[in-house]
Amino acid sequence: MVYALKDVSVSMNGREVLQSLSCTLQEGKWISVIGHNGAGKSTFAKLIKGLIPSFSGEYTYNQQPLPRDSKGNMRVVPQIGYVFQNPEQQIFETTVYKELAFAQKIKKGHTGDTKAEIESVMHQMGLSSDLLDASPYQLSGGQKRRVAIASVLIADPELLILDEPTAGLDPLSRIALLEEIRAWQRTKNRTVIFISHQMEDVAEYSDEVMIFNRGRLLVQMSANDLFLQHTAFMEQAGLPLPEPVQLLKLIEELSGRIIEPVSCREEDIMQQVRSVWQARGIQHDG
Amino acid sequence: MLVFDQVNYHYRREHPIIQDVSFEVQEGEFVAIVGGNGSGKSTLAKLINGLLLPRKGQVRLNQLNTLQHVDLKKIREQVGLVFQNPEDQFITTTVLDEVVFGLENLRIPREEMMPRVEGALQAVRMEDYLDAMPHQLSGGEKQRVAIAAILAMRPSILVFDEATSMLDPQERKDILEVMRTLHQSGLTIIHITHHMDEILSADRVLLLSNGSIRFDGTPSALFNSVSLTDQLVPPFAVRLHQTLGLDVPLGSDWKETITNLWSMH
């Protein structure tokens, strides 16, 4: 399963909001999309989902053009799941079960083993089956967010777009949610498009990173290459480095040594930094 | 001085939101309030200025009591509330009108208005945007206009209810800088947030859990409190201190701490 864009431009109200974008979205990857507000991240996500009817350039799925309607407009791509910002605002049923059953009906159009599927997707999102009969209004913010994401996952999307899924969540709920999405993505070998402002989360979870800057794709590369080798791209887009990477740079500067952690994840960076720190023999007796 | 005295609040009796909460905030303090989603933080913010009234107990501000109907107007003039989505508060078409609107409601004389508006916009560094349309500004700029609109009314306490949670990292820094400046100028700041790095600027932190106060003390003491580790994700600076075993006070800038320690050896 490969989605590809070739030389795609999107105009809105006479202004080009995306300019000559070419990229490939590979199966099984966690791809993070970063950039300032207004850089084109959400337009890109909407384009992928088929929510932008007309644009110039090519959009293909496994080398085949995606279907269009009789007027030549792009259609919504059903096998892509889209979790909007604050998705819990779209919950409207009176119980969690009804909400998920509704999503299942419209997205899959079938009435198979409804209950088992709903329980399975609840479980994937770390929600207890006890909550099935609860009113969404009794749930905490983190639980509501999960129900909303579960209602997208129930269609078993090939590719899942998450637009700032953790905004407004407390840190524990944030980490739990990201871990659950990663477990879902890995076990099913799905693709995740993760739009985020939290560079620490981007460095922790991504296989690849796409940087958007003023309507252009500045770069798409592996997270390790970006954060350990090519941080100049971050500077160019005016984006902060993840704090562990900032630490790495500082220690490199102080020690005059090049430090090579195995990945850009915090744990791997901290391990290297600790050994350099200890080698310096810094005492901690106050 | 702000006083919460045995405050209880519930929407439905069987689901208490705030339970027996007591604390005091002195004039000029910078207090951060943290806690999980649903712990009661936003309810607490609304109790401060009488948007919600205690079911039991009292909320007092400088001898005024939110339960006394005659006091409410004065309390709301003194307490400014900044929310997560500034757009929800915007009602006019220019930045200038937005800041003026609150003053008109307070019946501030015309000649006093402009100096107040200019001062407030300068405090948030938005003085060049008088004629801009609030809805066309970036998230951080909108939030600064919302703050200016409140500052113009000359409150003594500013309550930020997750006011940074929808902003990008640079905008978040800018708003935090504005908070620090306002604090230095003598305002009392109450900052409700999920971003643990932001609480390091505070004098004091309250941790709310299931509607009760689980901790009241300095940020470093909070992260050193072993019994709370299951409730908290420490910010990077604290994780760094723990990983390197640093036995020095938690500064507001970990880079400075690391550089100093390195150069001393």
Side-chain angles (χ1 to χ4, degrees), chain A residues 192-259:
Chain A
V192 162
I193 304 289
F194 175 66
I195 301 179
S196 179
H197 285 309
Q198 303 301 318
M199 296 308 149
E200 289 73 24
D201 293 342
V202 170
E204 201 65 25
Y205 290 95
S206 313
D207 298 305
E208 287 179 9
V209 181
M210 299 172 84
I211 302 180
F212 281 83
N213 191 27
R214 298 174 187 196
R216 284 180 177 273
L217 175 62
L218 182 61
V219 72
Q220 176 179 12
M221 63 163 64
S222 83
N224 288 333
D225 285 351
L226 175 64
F227 292 127
L228 299 178
Q229 313 275 339
H230 300 286
T231 51
F233 286 117
M234 295 291 284
E235 260 167 60
Q236 199 181 331
L239 295 170
L241 291 171
E243 287 197 293
V245 175
Q246 292 181 31
L247 171 69
L248 184 72
K249 297 235 157 202
L250 178 62
I251 298 290
E252 281 186 335
E253 196 183 304
L254 292 170
S255 65
R257 283 175 48 185
I258 301 289
I259 303 168

Side-chain angles (χ1 to χ4, degrees), chain A residues 70-89:
Chain A
S70 55
K71 289 177 189 154
N73 283 335
M74 183 74 199
R75 281 191 180 154
V76 172
V77 184
Q79 67 271 28
I80 292 181
Y82 199 138
V83 178
F84 291 91
Q85 281 184 33
N86 301 319
E88 58 279 6
Q89 290 173 357

Side-chain angles (χ1 to χ4, degrees), chain A:
Chain A
M1 176 296 284
V2 179
Y3 293 84
L5 295 173
K6 203 174 151 198
D7 205 18
V8 169
S9 296
V10 177
S11 295
M12 279 178 190
N13 306 324
R15 200 170 64 90
E16 256 194 352
V17 288
L18 275 184
Q19 289 173 50
S20 46
L21 168 62
S22 298
C23 67
T24 306
L25 309 174
Q26 299 282 355
E27 180 167 326
K29 299 268 191 225
W30 179 301
I31 303 169
S32 292
V33 176
I34 60 177
H36 284 296
N37 287 334
K41 305 188 299 294
S42 293
T43 308
F44 166 69
K46 285 181 195 144
L47 178 76
I48 297 294
K49 171 66 185 165
L51 294 175
I52 293 177
S54 94
F55 51 85
S56 66
E58 271 178 43
Y59 180 16
T60 58
Y61 173 65
N62 293 339
Q63 277 102 49
Q64 299 297 314
L66 280 150
R68 290 173 179 257
D69 67 16
S70 55
K71 289 177 189 154
N73 283 335
M74 183 74 199
R75 281 191 180 154
V76 172
V77 184
Q79 67 271 28
I80 292 181
Y82 199 138
V83 178
F84 291 91
Q85 281 184 33
N86 301 319
E88 58 279 6
Q89 290 173 357
Q90 295 170 27
I91 293 177
F92 64 94
E93 283 285 4
T94 50
T95 69
V96 170
Y97 181 83
K98 283 185 189 167
E99 182 70 28
L100 294 175
F102 175 79
Q104 188 182 34
K105 198 170 148 204
I106 55 160
K107 284 169 189 160
K108 298 188 90 176
H110 83 119
T111 46
D113 195 351
T114 313
K115 185 108 195 261
E117 260 183 25
I118 288 176
E119 284 185 348
S120 147
V121 81
M122 293 272 288
H123 179 72
Q124 267 165 10
M125 287 314 294
L127 293 163
S128 150
S129 306
D130 299 347
L131 294 174
L132 280 175
D133 295 324
S135 155
Y137 297 100
Q138 291 169 353
L139 306 180
S140 73
Q143 286 171 329
K144 263 191 265 181
R145 182 77 49 99
R146 275 154 209 234
V147 169
I149 296 176
S151 77
V152 174
L153 290 188
I154 201 151
D156 196 17
E158 281 190 348
L159 182 148
L160 177 67
I161 300 168
L162 298 151
D163 194 350
E164 295 188 51
T166 64
L169 293 187
D170 67 64
L172 287 169
S173 308
R174 191 187 95 234
I175 292 171
L177 183 66
L178 291 173
E179 290 291 329
E180 276 143 17
I181 292 167
R182 177 156 71 180
W184 170 83
Q185 182 241 344
R186 292 226 170 132
T187 39
K188 301 203 149 204
N189 195 35
R190 298 300 194 232
T191 310
V192 162
I193 304 289
F194 175 66
I195 301 179
S196 179
H197 285 309
Q198 303 301 318
M199 296 308 149
E200 289 73 24
D201 293 342
V202 170
E204 201 65 25
Y205 290 95
S206 313
D207 298 305
E208 287 179 9
V209 181
M210 299 172 84
I211 302 180
F212 281 83
N213 191 27
R214 298 174 187 196
R216 284 180 177 273
L217 175 62
L218 182 61
V219 72
Q220 176 179 12
M221 63 163 64
S222 83
N224 288 333
D225 285 351
L226 175 64
F227 292 127
L228 299 178
Q229 313 275 339
H230 300 286
T231 51
F233 286 117
M234 295 291 284
E235 260 167 60
Q236 199 181 331
L239 295 170
L241 291 171
E243 287 197 293
V245 175
Q246 292 181 31
L247 171 69
L248 184 72
K249 297 235 157 202
L250 178 62
I251 298 290
E252 281 186 335
E253 196 183 304
L254 292 170
S255 65
R257 283 175 48 185
I258 301 289
I259 303 168
E260 292 177 317
V262 295
S263 85
C264 61
R265 299 182 61 227
E266 178 172 326
E267 193 186 340
D268 292 324
I269 290 178
M270 288 297 218
Q271 197 183 352
Q272 293 295 310
V273 166
R274 190 168 44 214
S275 64
V276 176
W277 190 258
Q278 282 166 352
R280 175 93 178 171
I282 296 175
Q283 301 295 314
H284 301 301
D285 45 9

Side-chain angles (χ1 to χ4, degrees), chain B residues 31-83:
Chain B
V31 179
I33 300 181
V34 298
N37 293 118
S39 60
K41 302 185 303 298
S42 291
T43 304
L44 198 136
K46 292 180 184 125
L47 284 161
I48 296 176
N49 82 338
L51 272 180
L52 297 175
L53 301 174
R55 305 281 179 176
K56 247 169 67 188
Q58 292 184 350
V59 176
R60 294 190 300 270
L61 179 67
N62 303 332
Q63 319 307 321
L64 303 168
N65 185 332
T66 60
L67 288 173
Q68 300 296 325
H69 196 69
V70 289
D71 289 350
L72 267 183
K73 190 169 169 285
K74 279 185 191 152
I75 288 173
R76 287 180 184 155
E77 282 173 23
Q78 287 189 39
V79 181
L81 230 56
V82 184
F83 297 102

